[in-house]
């Protein structure tokens, strides 16, 4: 009895052991598969990391190249900036020198404004030789010589019906100064009922610089202050305590504001600022205008 019971127990133990062995074998097989999957995953991950590392190295090389290119570009821009600054200074110097030469070439010239069109006939030089001494009451002993005279190419006045100015070149600066001073002394000069003005023949750049002062000059004249524009563009104001000269518009406006000479100073500051912006472009616009007229 006891022997059979022992045999049955041994048999059940063997079955349990076999079951455990099978379970262990199954777990071992699963573990082997897991190890294989993990190894495969690690291998793929290492490959991806290697690829990423290679990409990063390439990007680093590219970034280094870009940085070098940017540095080269910055150096070139700096060099070009220095060259441009030099060229601008040289251009300003040459433009100033050219303007000085142009004004020197015009020193025997005067401009006559307001003289009606076509009154000179076919020979403006002959007309002026007769009209100037008679109109300006020039001394009989004074004999001037006109080298040439002509109307300006285009009308620079905003009123298109206003006659073109007459440019007169004298044989000597003495003749020119004599005629001009006589005209200023007799102002206003009339031709029939038309007012005729006389002035120096300035370059376009000088004219643009002088125009900047016009709003202030108009208001000063309304306030009974005498003014005079010195060459090339300086404003002289005759004050009760003596004349004062201003090299630029800003200093003149500041003085007028501090002394409370005028009331409409803000309006003049706006108008003069607009004129100053135009003055910087005037010489270029005038040269382009001359080219267009020449091409026509």
């Amino acid at each position: 009895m006891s022997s059979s019971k022992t045999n049955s127990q041994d048999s059940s133990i063997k079955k349990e052991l076999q079951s455990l062995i099978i379970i262990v074998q199954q777990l071992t097989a699963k573990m082997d598969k897991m190890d294989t999957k993990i190894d495969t995953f690690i291998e793929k991950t290492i490959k991806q990391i290697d690829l990423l590392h290679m990409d990063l190295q390439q990007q680093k090389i590219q970034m280094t190249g870009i940085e070098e290119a940017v540095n080269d570009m910055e150096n070139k821009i700096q060099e070009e900036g220095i060259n441009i600054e030099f060229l601008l200074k040289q251009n300003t110097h040459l433009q100033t020198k050219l303007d000085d030469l142009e004004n020197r070439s015009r020193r025997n010239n005067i401009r006559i404004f307001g003289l009606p069109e076509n009154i000179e006939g076919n020979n403006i030089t002959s007309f002026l030789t007769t009209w100037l001494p008679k109109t300006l009451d020039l001394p009989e002993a004074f004999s001037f010589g006109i080298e040439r005279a002509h109307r300006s190419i285009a009308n620079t006045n905003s009123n298109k019906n206003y006659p073109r100015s007459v440019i007169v070149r004298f044989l000597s600066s003495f003749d020119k100064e004599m005629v001009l001073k006589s005209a200023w002394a007799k102002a206003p000069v009339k031709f029939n009922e038309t007012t005729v003005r006389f002035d120096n023949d300035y370059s376009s750049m000088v004219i643009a610089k002088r125009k900047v002062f016009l709003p202030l000059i108009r208001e000063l004249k309304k306030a009974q202050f005498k003014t005079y524009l010195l060459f090339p563009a300086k404003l002289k104001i005759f004050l009760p305590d003596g004349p004062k000269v201003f090299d630029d518009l800003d200093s003149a406006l500041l003085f007028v504001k501090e002394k409370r000479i005028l009331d409409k100073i803000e309006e003049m500051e706006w108008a003069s600022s607009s004129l100053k912006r135009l003055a910087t472009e005037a010489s270029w616009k005038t040269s382009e205008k001359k080219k267009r007229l020449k091409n026509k």
Side-chain angles (χ1 to χ4, degrees):
M1 184 81 180
S2 60
S3 175
S4 61
K5 186 177 182 180
T6 302
N7 290 332
S8 64
Q9 287 180 346
D10 290 340
S11 177
S12 64
I13 289 171
K14 283 181 182 181
K15 287 180 180 180
E16 288 179 2
L17 285 173
Q18 287 176 351
S19 298
L20 286 174
I21 290 169
I22 292 169
I23 291 170
V24 170
Q25 288 175 346
Q26 290 176 346
L27 288 173
T28 302
K30 288 181 179 181
M31 288 294 295
D32 290 339
K33 289 181 179 180
M34 286 294 295
D35 288 342
T36 302
K37 288 181 179 179
I38 291 171
D39 291 339
T40 303
F41 174 76
I42 291 173
E43 186 178 352
K44 288 182 178 179
T45 302
I46 291 172
K47 286 181 179 179
Q48 289 178 351
I49 290 173
D50 289 339
L51 289 173
L52 287 173
H53 182 71
M54 289 175 63
D55 288 340
L56 288 173
Q57 289 294 328
Q58 289 178 354
Q59 290 179 7
K60 187 176 180 180
I61 293 170
Q62 290 175 353
M63 286 297 295
T64 302
I66 291 171
E67 288 177 357
E68 290 176 354
V70 169
N71 289 333
D72 291 341
M73 188 63 69
E74 287 178 349
N75 292 332
K76 288 180 180 179
I77 290 172
Q78 189 174 4
E79 289 175 2
E80 291 300 324
I82 295 171
N83 293 333
I84 290 171
E85 186 178 358
F86 171 76
L87 290 173
L88 287 173
K89 287 181 180 178
Q90 190 177 45
N91 180 64
T92 302
H93 172 72
L94 291 174
Q95 193 173 10
T96 303
K97 192 172 183 178
L98 181 63
D99 185 64
D100 178 64
L101 291 172
E102 184 179 352
N103 282 296
R104 287 176 185 274
S105 70
R106 295 169 182 251
R107 61 186 173 186
N108 288 1
N109 296 6
I110 66 168
R111 274 188 185 254
I112 305 174
F113 300 91
L115 201 62
E117 295 271 358
N118 303 319
I119 53 92
E120 65 271 16
N122 296 325
N123 193 332
I124 192 169
T125 301
S126 177
F127 167 78
L128 292 171
T129 303
T130 304
W131 179 72
L132 286 174
K134 180 181 176 181
T135 305
L136 302 181
D137 297 327
L138 296 173
E140 292 183 5
F142 174 66
S143 176
F144 62 86
I146 296 177
E147 182 179 336
R148 60 179 179 271
H150 61 86
R151 293 274 182 180
S152 61
I153 299 174
N155 191 353
T156 56
N157 195 285
S158 57
N159 183 1
K160 299 305 178 182
N161 296 322
Y162 192 81
R164 292 172 298 160
S165 61
V166 177
I167 303 171
V168 186
R169 182 172 180 82
F170 293 89
L171 291 173
S172 71
S173 58
F174 175 79
D175 293 350
K176 171 248 183 156
E177 290 296 334
M178 186 71 176
V179 171
L180 194 58
K181 287 178 180 178
S182 299
W184 286 345
K186 196 174 179 180
V189 177
K190 296 282 186 177
F191 182 87
N192 296 333
E193 297 301 320
T194 306
T195 300
V196 180
R197 295 187 299 106
F198 291 73
D199 201 355
N200 289 290
D201 181 29
Y202 298 118
S203 69
S204 58
M205 186 181 294
V206 170
I207 291 173
K209 290 178 180 178
R210 292 166 76 88
K211 276 186 177 180
V212 170
F213 290 99
L214 291 182
L216 178 58
I217 290 173
R218 281 196 290 265
E219 295 300 323
L220 286 169
K221 284 185 177 180
K222 289 180 185 177
Q224 304 301 315
F225 286 97
K226 184 180 178 182
T227 61
Y228 185 74
L229 277 174
L230 303 173
F231 182 82
K234 295 182 180 182
L235 178 63
K236 186 176 185 179
I237 304 176
F238 294 87
L239 301 165
D241 56 346
K244 190 169 180 62
V245 177
F246 301 92
D247 293 334
D248 55 70
L249 178 66
D250 292 333
S251 59
L253 287 173
L254 181 62
F255 177 82
V256 169
K257 183 184 287 187
E258 289 178 348
K259 299 297 181 181
R260 297 184 178 180
I261 295 174
L262 299 173
D263 298 327
K264 297 181 179 179
I265 191 70
E266 290 80 8
E267 295 179 11
M268 279 185 298
E269 284 178 333
W270 178 86
S272 298
S273 297
S274 301
L275 282 171
K276 277 195 285 187
R277 287 194 298 271
L278 292 175
T280 57
E281 305 171 3
S283 58
W284 300 102
K285 288 184 177 179
T286 303
S287 61
E288 288 298 321
K289 189 175 182 181
K290 286 180 179 178
K291 287 179 183 177
R292 289 197 299 271
L293 290 168
K294 188 177 180 181
N295 292 332
K296 287 182 181 179

